Amino acid sequence: MVAQVNKSFGNHHVLKDVSIAVPQGEFCTLLGPSGCGKTTLLRLVAGLELPDSGNICLGGQDVTTLPANKRQVNTVFQSYALFPHLNVIENISFGLKARHLESRFITAKVKRMLEMLDLGELGKRFPNQLSGGQKQRVALARALVNEPRVLLLDEPMSALDPHLRTQVQTELLELHRQIETTFVMVTHDQGEAMFMGGYLAVMKDGQMIQMGSPREVYSRPKNKFMAEFLWGANILPATRCGDKRWDTPVGQLESTDQVPWPRGYLAIRPELIVLGPSQLENRAGVNSVQALVQRAIYRGPSVELTLTPGPLKVVTSPRFNPQPGDAVSLLFPSDDLVALEGPTGPDELAALTTAPPPRQNEFPALTERAA
Amino acid sequence: MELSAFAATTAKPRPQSRPDRLGSLLLAGPGLLWLTLLMAIPCLSLVAMALATRGQYGEVSWTFTLDNLKRLAGFGLFGWTPDLGLILLRSLLVAAITTLLCVALAYPLTFHIASRRPSVRVFWLILIIVPFWTNVVVRAYGWLLILAPQMPPARLAAYLGLIPEGAALYPGSLAVYLGMTTTFLPFMALPLYASVERLDPAIIEAARDLYANSLLIFWKVALPQTRPGLTVGVIMTFVPAMAMFVVTDILGGAKNMLIGNLIQQQFSQARDWPFGATLSLALMFLTLLSLTFWRLRNPDKRESS
């Protein structure tokens, strides 16, 4: 599925030259803050809205102007939108009947679908007699029974109880593994997008920011927004001071990222900063920083530290029990420091040129490199 | 023993939401009284009057007779005629066609209104409600003016050779249906609007997503979902349309006489109240029969929660 579209509602430019290409059979999650246009993109692919410009292709065929009822795309709606006056079987067979398929064929297919989604006993029930999870399975069955090229899911977990979600997510992945349909799921839940998507696309303000595998998107954020948006990385203003070497508020750091720009940011995930010299051999004092613990939060599976300078965020093993005021040494693995372009605005530039010196003065010890 | 049974039922804790029986009866009292005094008693007296005789000077003479029923069956002074049967049949047909026209007009109208912004909807609803405030007679005479020979519609029809030069577009079926639909459209549109407005747009989109064309969406999704409002609209249109006499009186002429006109004649010019009562009962019976038929054809399915 390929889409390159523009869409406005009145004066509001909802989708700005958004392009997305999802390989056949992939499970793609569309992630973004609410109002970023991800649902609009989904509706364009479904054929429920027309793009102002651009086109949408399914399996090489241009379907931009094809109405929803002629597109081999089916949708699981956010509220499921089951037909209240039809029972489960009638709901599932709606699409097949609308295409005037042979009734014997319909019966057989619906039966298979009921079994596949474990709805066997519920065939004669009406939607208001079903639980949230059951409704979702009927909505899935109603869409999948048509064997669409692409299945669109509009925040399908949002109406489910939190304790049900993890289970349903696993089941949905398992279902996707069994059939060869392309799934495109809209979500605003980062964990869900990360866990479910074989392919992750992040949108913001009507623009596609980054696409790729969850590992790629998380570990190599493309810009400052991406680094902040997914659980928040440590972002340090940086000025290049040598090949691969950058001056930052916490000292000189080395990054393996090869970039052309002279100043920008270095980003690193909190869990990738290594705590304590004992944990890793500190080779030649490179990328080592002394810091003070400001706050430590014990989370069970991990300990979350807020450190000065920075403030830096570090997530580490619960084995450690640092107390506020403790001095620790940190190691920034140079492979995990991502160089980002910037600053883009004059404000950020001002912050970059004025902010670092006072900080260095506040903590003179920290600017020295550990021996 | 009855007392102990009563105690046993009252001892059980009742759900809060269920109103207490005596209280609700007291509250319903005035309404019930009103219905008994002003509906049930007149209806029963109608039955009694239908079995009475017309006196020499048009008064009601309380002598029991079945003559009125015979007349109803078509046996008059000059032997059997189908006239009365035809009038009843025509009434049924006119009411049914009026209802159908109103349904056909009201669906697009209500869908249009329901898809507007809420502030604009009020404007449209007022447009529907305003004719409500205007008297039926005034509206019917309004049509007389519009359909008059010198007005554009009649001129156009004459130009096309549909009517003779200088003729009006009334009296006739066209004028009757125009008058009837303007009279009853609000009765159909308002209850239907209440149902259409509650229709979940996502359900319509789901149907389109599931390969349904517009006709199928209407037939399989919109119609079943709006059936409660449609039923109310059909009752509110069909029942008064069956008894209508004002519109047909003004716009219909002698050829378009309905049962309503006949009843009105019996109670006024003919001064034959017993036969008028018989005709009224026949109308009530026919209406009830039609509505039962509608109910059987459109059983209440499970509706959205």
Side-chain angles (χ1 to χ4, degrees), chain A residues 43 69 71 73-75 77 83-85 95 98 126 128-129 142 146, chain B residues 202-203 205-206 208-213 216 220 224-225 302 305:
Chain A
R43 290 171 60 82
N69 54 329
R71 259 185 226 198
V73 174
N74 290 110
T75 311
F77 290 83
F83 304 121
H85 59 289
F126 284 84
N128 62 356
Q129 298 167 310
R142 185 178 71 170
N146 302 294
Chain B
I203 287 177
E205 286 185 344
R208 192 168 290 290
D209 186 62
L210 291 165
Y211 312 102
N213 57 29
L216 198 68
K220 293 283 179 198
Q225 281 292 298
R302 260 163 246 273
S305 47

PDB file of all heavy atoms in Angstrom, chain A residues 43 69 71 73-75 77 83-85 95 98 126 128-129 142 146, chain B residues 202-203 205-206 208-213 216 220 224-225 302 305:
ATOM      1  N   ARG A  43      -8.653   7.110   6.957  1.00  0.00           N
ATOM      2  CA  ARG A  43      -9.932   7.278   6.256  1.00  0.00           C
ATOM      3  C   ARG A  43      -9.711   7.494   4.761  1.00  0.00           C
ATOM      4  O   ARG A  43     -10.543   7.104   3.947  1.00  0.00           O
ATOM      5  CB  ARG A  43     -10.724   8.435   6.866  1.00  0.00           C
ATOM      6  CG  ARG A  43     -11.245   8.114   8.280  1.00  0.00           C
ATOM      7  CD  ARG A  43     -11.834   9.346   8.941  1.00  0.00           C
ATOM      8  NE  ARG A  43     -12.951   9.882   8.188  1.00  0.00           N
ATOM      9  CZ  ARG A  43     -14.186   9.426   8.249  1.00  0.00           C
ATOM     10  NH1 ARG A  43     -14.464   8.434   9.054  1.00  0.00           N
ATOM     11  NH2 ARG A  43     -15.140   9.966   7.534  1.00  0.00           N
ATOM     12  N   ASN A  69     -16.887   1.576  -1.068  1.00  0.00           N
ATOM     13  CA  ASN A  69     -17.562   0.293  -1.269  1.00  0.00           C
ATOM     14  C   ASN A  69     -16.995  -0.485  -2.451  1.00  0.00           C
ATOM     15  O   ASN A  69     -17.389  -1.616  -2.688  1.00  0.00           O
ATOM     16  CB  ASN A  69     -19.076   0.491  -1.420  1.00  0.00           C
ATOM     17  CG  ASN A  69     -19.430   1.492  -2.503  1.00  0.00           C
ATOM     18  OD1 ASN A  69     -18.685   2.430  -2.761  1.00  0.00           O
ATOM     19  ND2 ASN A  69     -20.545   1.286  -3.146  1.00  0.00           N
ATOM     20  N   ARG A  71     -13.491  -0.560  -2.816  1.00  0.00           N
ATOM     21  CA  ARG A  71     -12.088  -0.769  -2.494  1.00  0.00           C
ATOM     22  C   ARG A  71     -11.897  -2.040  -1.695  1.00  0.00           C
ATOM     23  O   ARG A  71     -12.684  -2.309  -0.791  1.00  0.00           O
ATOM     24  CB  ARG A  71     -11.588   0.385  -1.622  1.00  0.00           C
ATOM     25  CG  ARG A  71     -10.807   1.376  -2.412  1.00  0.00           C
ATOM     26  CD  ARG A  71     -10.251   2.412  -1.501  1.00  0.00           C
ATOM     27  NE  ARG A  71     -10.500   3.703  -2.128  1.00  0.00           N
ATOM     28  CZ  ARG A  71      -9.873   4.810  -1.801  1.00  0.00           C
ATOM     29  NH1 ARG A  71      -9.015   4.814  -0.819  1.00  0.00           N
ATOM     30  NH2 ARG A  71     -10.139   5.922  -2.424  1.00  0.00           N
ATOM     31  N   VAL A  73     -10.487  -2.829   0.787  1.00  0.00           N
ATOM     32  CA  VAL A  73      -9.919  -2.415   2.060  1.00  0.00           C
ATOM     33  C   VAL A  73     -11.051  -2.488   3.064  1.00  0.00           C
ATOM     34  O   VAL A  73     -12.165  -2.100   2.755  1.00  0.00           O
ATOM     35  CB  VAL A  73      -9.413  -0.957   1.971  1.00  0.00           C
ATOM     36  CG1 VAL A  73      -8.946  -0.473   3.321  1.00  0.00           C
ATOM     37  CG2 VAL A  73      -8.308  -0.833   0.949  1.00  0.00           C
ATOM     38  N   ASN A  74     -10.809  -3.016   4.241  1.00  0.00           N
ATOM     39  CA  ASN A  74     -11.852  -3.020   5.255  1.00  0.00           C
ATOM     40  C   ASN A  74     -11.316  -2.436   6.547  1.00  0.00           C
ATOM     41  O   ASN A  74     -10.117  -2.422   6.785  1.00  0.00           O
ATOM     42  CB  ASN A  74     -12.414  -4.430   5.471  1.00  0.00           C
ATOM     43  CG  ASN A  74     -13.228  -4.879   4.283  1.00  0.00           C
ATOM     44  OD1 ASN A  74     -12.829  -5.761   3.543  1.00  0.00           O
ATOM     45  ND2 ASN A  74     -14.360  -4.235   4.075  1.00  0.00           N
ATOM     46  N   THR A  75     -12.245  -1.932   7.337  1.00  0.00           N
ATOM     47  CA  THR A  75     -11.863  -1.150   8.503  1.00  0.00           C
ATOM     48  C   THR A  75     -12.467  -1.726   9.775  1.00  0.00           C
ATOM     49  O   THR A  75     -13.614  -2.162   9.772  1.00  0.00           O
ATOM     50  CB  THR A  75     -12.341   0.310   8.336  1.00  0.00           C
ATOM     51  OG1 THR A  75     -11.944   0.773   7.054  1.00  0.00           O
ATOM     52  CG2 THR A  75     -11.779   1.202   9.409  1.00  0.00           C
ATOM     53  N   PHE A  77     -13.533  -0.107  13.017  1.00  0.00           N
ATOM     54  CA  PHE A  77     -13.725   1.254  13.494  1.00  0.00           C
ATOM     55  C   PHE A  77     -13.442   1.347  14.989  1.00  0.00           C
ATOM     56  O   PHE A  77     -13.552   0.369  15.720  1.00  0.00           O
ATOM     57  CB  PHE A  77     -15.152   1.719  13.204  1.00  0.00           C
ATOM     58  CG  PHE A  77     -15.407   1.937  11.736  1.00  0.00           C
ATOM     59  CD1 PHE A  77     -15.725   0.883  10.904  1.00  0.00           C
ATOM     60  CD2 PHE A  77     -15.304   3.196  11.191  1.00  0.00           C
ATOM     61  CE1 PHE A  77     -15.948   1.073   9.552  1.00  0.00           C
ATOM     62  CE2 PHE A  77     -15.521   3.408   9.842  1.00  0.00           C
ATOM     63  CZ  PHE A  77     -15.837   2.346   9.028  1.00  0.00           C
ATOM     64  N   PHE A  83     -23.536  -3.256  13.390  1.00  0.00           N
ATOM     65  CA  PHE A  83     -24.926  -2.921  13.101  1.00  0.00           C
ATOM     66  C   PHE A  83     -25.794  -3.416  14.259  1.00  0.00           C
ATOM     67  O   PHE A  83     -25.914  -4.618  14.466  1.00  0.00           O
ATOM     68  CB  PHE A  83     -25.364  -3.564  11.782  1.00  0.00           C
ATOM     69  CG  PHE A  83     -24.480  -3.181  10.627  1.00  0.00           C
ATOM     70  CD1 PHE A  83     -23.801  -4.137   9.904  1.00  0.00           C
ATOM     71  CD2 PHE A  83     -24.316  -1.850  10.276  1.00  0.00           C
ATOM     72  CE1 PHE A  83     -22.975  -3.782   8.849  1.00  0.00           C
ATOM     73  CE2 PHE A  83     -23.498  -1.482   9.233  1.00  0.00           C
ATOM     74  CZ  PHE A  83     -22.821  -2.449   8.514  1.00  0.00           C
ATOM     75  N   PRO A  84     -26.414  -2.513  15.003  1.00  0.00           N
ATOM     76  CA  PRO A  84     -27.120  -2.920  16.224  1.00  0.00           C
ATOM     77  C   PRO A  84     -28.332  -3.806  15.950  1.00  0.00           C
ATOM     78  O   PRO A  84     -28.737  -4.571  16.813  1.00  0.00           O
ATOM     79  CB  PRO A  84     -27.585  -1.601  16.853  1.00  0.00           C
ATOM     80  CG  PRO A  84     -26.947  -0.511  16.068  1.00  0.00           C
ATOM     81  CD  PRO A  84     -26.512  -1.079  14.759  1.00  0.00           C
ATOM     82  N   HIS A  85     -28.897  -3.691  14.749  1.00  0.00           N
ATOM     83  CA  HIS A  85     -30.121  -4.442  14.461  1.00  0.00           C
ATOM     84  C   HIS A  85     -29.833  -5.800  13.836  1.00  0.00           C
ATOM     85  O   HIS A  85     -30.765  -6.525  13.503  1.00  0.00           O
ATOM     86  CB  HIS A  85     -31.024  -3.629  13.540  1.00  0.00           C
ATOM     87  CG  HIS A  85     -30.361  -3.285  12.232  1.00  0.00           C
ATOM     88  ND1 HIS A  85     -29.337  -2.372  12.159  1.00  0.00           N
ATOM     89  CD2 HIS A  85     -30.561  -3.732  10.979  1.00  0.00           C
ATOM     90  CE1 HIS A  85     -28.940  -2.266  10.902  1.00  0.00           C
ATOM     91  NE2 HIS A  85     -29.657  -3.078  10.165  1.00  0.00           N
ATOM     92  N   GLY A  95     -20.789  -7.819   4.412  1.00  0.00           N
ATOM     93  CA  GLY A  95     -19.954  -7.458   3.269  1.00  0.00           C
ATOM     94  C   GLY A  95     -20.056  -8.471   2.139  1.00  0.00           C
ATOM     95  O   GLY A  95     -20.074  -8.108   0.961  1.00  0.00           O
ATOM     96  N   ALA A  98     -23.422  -8.036   0.489  1.00  0.00           N
ATOM     97  CA  ALA A  98     -23.462  -6.813  -0.329  1.00  0.00           C
ATOM     98  C   ALA A  98     -22.813  -7.052  -1.683  1.00  0.00           C
ATOM     99  O   ALA A  98     -23.137  -6.386  -2.658  1.00  0.00           O
ATOM    100  CB  ALA A  98     -22.759  -5.671   0.394  1.00  0.00           C
ATOM    101  N   PHE A 126     -26.945 -10.312  19.650  1.00  0.00           N
ATOM    102  CA  PHE A 126     -26.937  -8.974  19.076  1.00  0.00           C
ATOM    103  C   PHE A 126     -25.823  -8.162  19.738  1.00  0.00           C
ATOM    104  O   PHE A 126     -25.429  -8.468  20.870  1.00  0.00           O
ATOM    105  CB  PHE A 126     -28.299  -8.313  19.281  1.00  0.00           C
ATOM    106  CG  PHE A 126     -29.342  -8.837  18.336  1.00  0.00           C
ATOM    107  CD1 PHE A 126     -30.046  -9.997  18.621  1.00  0.00           C
ATOM    108  CD2 PHE A 126     -29.582  -8.188  17.140  1.00  0.00           C
ATOM    109  CE1 PHE A 126     -30.981 -10.501  17.735  1.00  0.00           C
ATOM    110  CE2 PHE A 126     -30.518  -8.684  16.245  1.00  0.00           C
ATOM    111  CZ  PHE A 126     -31.219  -9.840  16.541  1.00  0.00           C
ATOM    112  N   ASN A 128     -25.585  -5.507  21.419  1.00  0.00           N
ATOM    113  CA  ASN A 128     -25.735  -5.009  22.793  1.00  0.00           C
ATOM    114  C   ASN A 128     -25.691  -6.129  23.831  1.00  0.00           C
ATOM    115  O   ASN A 128     -25.774  -5.873  25.021  1.00  0.00           O
ATOM    116  CB  ASN A 128     -27.008  -4.162  22.936  1.00  0.00           C
ATOM    117  CG  ASN A 128     -28.263  -4.952  22.645  1.00  0.00           C
ATOM    118  OD1 ASN A 128     -28.196  -6.118  22.269  1.00  0.00           O
ATOM    119  ND2 ASN A 128     -29.413  -4.338  22.834  1.00  0.00           N
ATOM    120  N   GLN A 129     -25.567  -7.386  23.345  1.00  0.00           N
ATOM    121  CA  GLN A 129     -25.436  -8.503  24.283  1.00  0.00           C
ATOM    122  C   GLN A 129     -23.997  -8.995  24.360  1.00  0.00           C
ATOM    123  O   GLN A 129     -23.733 -10.066  24.884  1.00  0.00           O
ATOM    124  CB  GLN A 129     -26.344  -9.661  23.843  1.00  0.00           C
ATOM    125  CG  GLN A 129     -27.809  -9.311  23.828  1.00  0.00           C
ATOM    126  CD  GLN A 129     -28.637 -10.345  23.105  1.00  0.00           C
ATOM    127  OE1 GLN A 129     -28.318 -10.725  21.983  1.00  0.00           O
ATOM    128  NE2 GLN A 129     -29.705 -10.803  23.721  1.00  0.00           N
ATOM    129  N   ARG A 142     -15.895  -9.280  10.875  1.00  0.00           N
ATOM    130  CA  ARG A 142     -16.709  -8.644   9.850  1.00  0.00           C
ATOM    131  C   ARG A 142     -15.823  -8.044   8.754  1.00  0.00           C
ATOM    132  O   ARG A 142     -16.191  -8.032   7.588  1.00  0.00           O
ATOM    133  CB  ARG A 142     -17.567  -7.551  10.494  1.00  0.00           C
ATOM    134  CG  ARG A 142     -18.546  -6.907   9.558  1.00  0.00           C
ATOM    135  CD  ARG A 142     -19.385  -5.886  10.260  1.00  0.00           C
ATOM    136  NE  ARG A 142     -18.617  -4.701  10.610  1.00  0.00           N
ATOM    137  CZ  ARG A 142     -19.172  -3.571  11.060  1.00  0.00           C
ATOM    138  NH1 ARG A 142     -20.458  -3.496  11.252  1.00  0.00           N
ATOM    139  NH2 ARG A 142     -18.417  -2.539  11.358  1.00  0.00           N
ATOM    140  N   ASN A 146     -13.981 -10.594   4.415  1.00  0.00           N
ATOM    141  CA  ASN A 146     -13.965 -10.138   3.027  1.00  0.00           C
ATOM    142  C   ASN A 146     -12.599 -10.301   2.366  1.00  0.00           C
ATOM    143  O   ASN A 146     -12.432  -9.926   1.218  1.00  0.00           O
ATOM    144  CB  ASN A 146     -14.362  -8.665   2.971  1.00  0.00           C
ATOM    145  CG  ASN A 146     -15.725  -8.425   3.582  1.00  0.00           C
ATOM    146  OD1 ASN A 146     -16.725  -8.899   3.057  1.00  0.00           O
ATOM    147  ND2 ASN A 146     -15.767  -7.721   4.702  1.00  0.00           N
TER     148      ASN A 146
ATOM    149  N   ALA B 202     -20.898   6.457  11.989  1.00  0.00           N
ATOM    150  CA  ALA B 202     -19.895   5.400  11.805  1.00  0.00           C
ATOM    151  C   ALA B 202     -20.541   4.134  11.240  1.00  0.00           C
ATOM    152  O   ALA B 202     -19.901   3.383  10.498  1.00  0.00           O
ATOM    153  CB  ALA B 202     -19.205   5.097  13.128  1.00  0.00           C
ATOM    154  N   ILE B 203     -21.809   3.893  11.578  1.00  0.00           N
ATOM    155  CA  ILE B 203     -22.490   2.693  11.094  1.00  0.00           C
ATOM    156  C   ILE B 203     -22.723   2.785   9.592  1.00  0.00           C
ATOM    157  O   ILE B 203     -22.552   1.811   8.854  1.00  0.00           O
ATOM    158  CB  ILE B 203     -23.806   2.497  11.867  1.00  0.00           C
ATOM    159  CG1 ILE B 203     -23.472   2.031  13.284  1.00  0.00           C
ATOM    160  CG2 ILE B 203     -24.712   1.489  11.203  1.00  0.00           C
ATOM    161  CD1 ILE B 203     -24.660   1.881  14.154  1.00  0.00           C
ATOM    162  N   GLU B 205     -20.858   4.558   7.591  1.00  0.00           N
ATOM    163  CA  GLU B 205     -19.525   4.407   6.995  1.00  0.00           C
ATOM    164  C   GLU B 205     -19.096   2.953   6.981  1.00  0.00           C
ATOM    165  O   GLU B 205     -18.483   2.485   6.021  1.00  0.00           O
ATOM    166  CB  GLU B 205     -18.506   5.245   7.774  1.00  0.00           C
ATOM    167  CG  GLU B 205     -18.651   6.713   7.477  1.00  0.00           C
ATOM    168  CD  GLU B 205     -17.574   7.555   8.129  1.00  0.00           C
ATOM    169  OE1 GLU B 205     -16.900   7.047   9.051  1.00  0.00           O
ATOM    170  OE2 GLU B 205     -17.414   8.702   7.706  1.00  0.00           O
ATOM    171  N   ALA B 206     -19.425   2.233   8.048  1.00  0.00           N
ATOM    172  CA  ALA B 206     -19.082   0.812   8.107  1.00  0.00           C
ATOM    173  C   ALA B 206     -19.765   0.067   6.973  1.00  0.00           C
ATOM    174  O   ALA B 206     -19.153  -0.793   6.333  1.00  0.00           O
ATOM    175  CB  ALA B 206     -19.485   0.225   9.459  1.00  0.00           C
ATOM    176  N   ARG B 208     -20.688   1.292   4.096  1.00  0.00           N
ATOM    177  CA  ARG B 208     -20.031   1.652   2.832  1.00  0.00           C
ATOM    178  C   ARG B 208     -18.703   0.920   2.711  1.00  0.00           C
ATOM    179  O   ARG B 208     -18.342   0.414   1.652  1.00  0.00           O
ATOM    180  CB  ARG B 208     -19.822   3.163   2.764  1.00  0.00           C
ATOM    181  CG  ARG B 208     -19.430   3.626   1.378  1.00  0.00           C
ATOM    182  CD  ARG B 208     -19.498   5.128   1.226  1.00  0.00           C
ATOM    183  NE  ARG B 208     -20.823   5.705   1.233  1.00  0.00           N
ATOM    184  CZ  ARG B 208     -21.711   5.568   0.258  1.00  0.00           C
ATOM    185  NH1 ARG B 208     -21.420   4.869  -0.807  1.00  0.00           N
ATOM    186  NH2 ARG B 208     -22.889   6.118   0.347  1.00  0.00           N
ATOM    187  N   ASP B 209     -17.990   0.850   3.832  1.00  0.00           N
ATOM    188  CA  ASP B 209     -16.714   0.147   3.861  1.00  0.00           C
ATOM    189  C   ASP B 209     -16.911  -1.332   3.519  1.00  0.00           C
ATOM    190  O   ASP B 209     -16.021  -1.969   2.978  1.00  0.00           O
ATOM    191  CB  ASP B 209     -16.108   0.296   5.260  1.00  0.00           C
ATOM    192  CG  ASP B 209     -14.710  -0.273   5.347  1.00  0.00           C
ATOM    193  OD1 ASP B 209     -13.838   0.242   4.634  1.00  0.00           O
ATOM    194  OD2 ASP B 209     -14.500  -1.229   6.111  1.00  0.00           O
ATOM    195  N   LEU B 210     -18.091  -1.864   3.848  1.00  0.00           N
ATOM    196  CA  LEU B 210     -18.380  -3.276   3.597  1.00  0.00           C
ATOM    197  C   LEU B 210     -19.130  -3.450   2.277  1.00  0.00           C
ATOM    198  O   LEU B 210     -20.036  -4.263   2.176  1.00  0.00           O
ATOM    199  CB  LEU B 210     -19.167  -3.863   4.768  1.00  0.00           C
ATOM    200  CG  LEU B 210     -18.361  -3.992   6.064  1.00  0.00           C
ATOM    201  CD1 LEU B 210     -19.273  -4.213   7.251  1.00  0.00           C
ATOM    202  CD2 LEU B 210     -17.346  -5.112   5.963  1.00  0.00           C
ATOM    203  N   TYR B 211     -18.757  -2.672   1.286  1.00  0.00           N
ATOM    204  CA  TYR B 211     -19.171  -2.865  -0.100  1.00  0.00           C
ATOM    205  C   TYR B 211     -20.636  -2.568  -0.390  1.00  0.00           C
ATOM    206  O   TYR B 211     -21.151  -2.956  -1.431  1.00  0.00           O
ATOM    207  CB  TYR B 211     -18.832  -4.287  -0.577  1.00  0.00           C
ATOM    208  CG  TYR B 211     -17.427  -4.691  -0.252  1.00  0.00           C
ATOM    209  CD1 TYR B 211     -17.143  -5.530   0.822  1.00  0.00           C
ATOM    210  CD2 TYR B 211     -16.366  -4.187  -0.993  1.00  0.00           C
ATOM    211  CE1 TYR B 211     -15.845  -5.862   1.146  1.00  0.00           C
ATOM    212  CE2 TYR B 211     -15.066  -4.521  -0.679  1.00  0.00           C
ATOM    213  CZ  TYR B 211     -14.812  -5.356   0.385  1.00  0.00           C
ATOM    214  OH  TYR B 211     -13.529  -5.676   0.702  1.00  0.00           O
ATOM    215  N   ALA B 212     -21.351  -1.881   0.518  1.00  0.00           N
ATOM    216  CA  ALA B 212     -22.752  -1.582   0.255  1.00  0.00           C
ATOM    217  C   ALA B 212     -22.859  -0.279  -0.541  1.00  0.00           C
ATOM    218  O   ALA B 212     -22.191   0.692  -0.218  1.00  0.00           O
ATOM    219  CB  ALA B 212     -23.519  -1.451   1.567  1.00  0.00           C
ATOM    220  N   ASN B 213     -23.721  -0.274  -1.572  1.00  0.00           N
ATOM    221  CA  ASN B 213     -23.972   0.975  -2.281  1.00  0.00           C
ATOM    222  C   ASN B 213     -25.047   1.767  -1.526  1.00  0.00           C
ATOM    223  O   ASN B 213     -25.604   1.289  -0.545  1.00  0.00           O
ATOM    224  CB  ASN B 213     -24.361   0.724  -3.741  1.00  0.00           C
ATOM    225  CG  ASN B 213     -25.581  -0.166  -3.856  1.00  0.00           C
ATOM    226  OD1 ASN B 213     -26.435  -0.174  -2.969  1.00  0.00           O
ATOM    227  ND2 ASN B 213     -25.662  -0.926  -4.928  1.00  0.00           N
ATOM    228  N   LEU B 216     -28.441   0.052  -0.817  1.00  0.00           N
ATOM    229  CA  LEU B 216     -28.345  -1.022   0.175  1.00  0.00           C
ATOM    230  C   LEU B 216     -28.149  -0.439   1.576  1.00  0.00           C
ATOM    231  O   LEU B 216     -28.701  -0.944   2.552  1.00  0.00           O
ATOM    232  CB  LEU B 216     -27.180  -1.947  -0.194  1.00  0.00           C
ATOM    233  CG  LEU B 216     -27.190  -3.326   0.455  1.00  0.00           C
ATOM    234  CD1 LEU B 216     -28.328  -4.147  -0.087  1.00  0.00           C
ATOM    235  CD2 LEU B 216     -25.869  -4.031   0.226  1.00  0.00           C
ATOM    236  N   LYS B 220     -30.760  -1.568   4.268  1.00  0.00           N
ATOM    237  CA  LYS B 220     -30.319  -2.538   5.275  1.00  0.00           C
ATOM    238  C   LYS B 220     -29.828  -1.897   6.567  1.00  0.00           C
ATOM    239  O   LYS B 220     -29.707  -2.577   7.580  1.00  0.00           O
ATOM    240  CB  LYS B 220     -29.178  -3.395   4.692  1.00  0.00           C
ATOM    241  CG  LYS B 220     -29.603  -4.300   3.571  1.00  0.00           C
ATOM    242  CD  LYS B 220     -30.336  -5.509   4.107  1.00  0.00           C
ATOM    243  CE  LYS B 220     -30.772  -6.404   2.967  1.00  0.00           C
ATOM    244  NZ  LYS B 220     -31.817  -7.345   3.373  1.00  0.00           N
ATOM    245  N   PRO B 224     -33.743   0.212   8.951  1.00  0.00           N
ATOM    246  CA  PRO B 224     -33.982  -0.524  10.210  1.00  0.00           C
ATOM    247  C   PRO B 224     -33.611   0.292  11.447  1.00  0.00           C
ATOM    248  O   PRO B 224     -34.258   0.173  12.475  1.00  0.00           O
ATOM    249  CB  PRO B 224     -33.068  -1.746  10.096  1.00  0.00           C
ATOM    250  CG  PRO B 224     -32.704  -1.865   8.677  1.00  0.00           C
ATOM    251  CD  PRO B 224     -32.802  -0.505   8.079  1.00  0.00           C
ATOM    252  N   GLN B 225     -32.578   1.130  11.322  1.00  0.00           N
ATOM    253  CA  GLN B 225     -32.144   1.897  12.478  1.00  0.00           C
ATOM    254  C   GLN B 225     -33.079   3.051  12.810  1.00  0.00           C
ATOM    255  O   GLN B 225     -33.110   3.531  13.932  1.00  0.00           O
ATOM    256  CB  GLN B 225     -30.728   2.446  12.231  1.00  0.00           C
ATOM    257  CG  GLN B 225     -29.651   1.421  12.440  1.00  0.00           C
ATOM    258  CD  GLN B 225     -29.530   1.026  13.886  1.00  0.00           C
ATOM    259  OE1 GLN B 225     -29.232   1.850  14.729  1.00  0.00           O
ATOM    260  NE2 GLN B 225     -29.798  -0.230  14.183  1.00  0.00           N
ATOM    261  N   ARG B 302     -34.579  -5.824  17.908  1.00  0.00           N
ATOM    262  CA  ARG B 302     -33.699  -5.283  18.936  1.00  0.00           C
ATOM    263  C   ARG B 302     -33.106  -3.969  18.454  1.00  0.00           C
ATOM    264  O   ARG B 302     -32.578  -3.893  17.366  1.00  0.00           O
ATOM    265  CB  ARG B 302     -32.564  -6.256  19.195  1.00  0.00           C
ATOM    266  CG  ARG B 302     -32.770  -7.092  20.394  1.00  0.00           C
ATOM    267  CD  ARG B 302     -31.828  -8.268  20.332  1.00  0.00           C
ATOM    268  NE  ARG B 302     -32.606  -9.481  20.197  1.00  0.00           N
ATOM    269  CZ  ARG B 302     -33.069 -10.133  21.237  1.00  0.00           C
ATOM    270  NH1 ARG B 302     -32.838  -9.703  22.446  1.00  0.00           N
ATOM    271  NH2 ARG B 302     -33.766 -11.231  21.076  1.00  0.00           N
ATOM    272  N   SER B 305     -28.566  -0.094  21.884  1.00  0.00           N
ATOM    273  CA  SER B 305     -28.628   0.148  23.322  1.00  0.00           C
ATOM    274  C   SER B 305     -28.217   1.575  23.602  1.00  0.00           C
ATOM    275  O   SER B 305     -27.410   2.136  22.903  1.00  0.00           O
ATOM    276  CB  SER B 305     -27.697  -0.810  24.048  1.00  0.00           C
ATOM    277  OG  SER B 305     -26.447  -0.839  23.414  1.00  0.00           O
TER     278      SER B 305
END
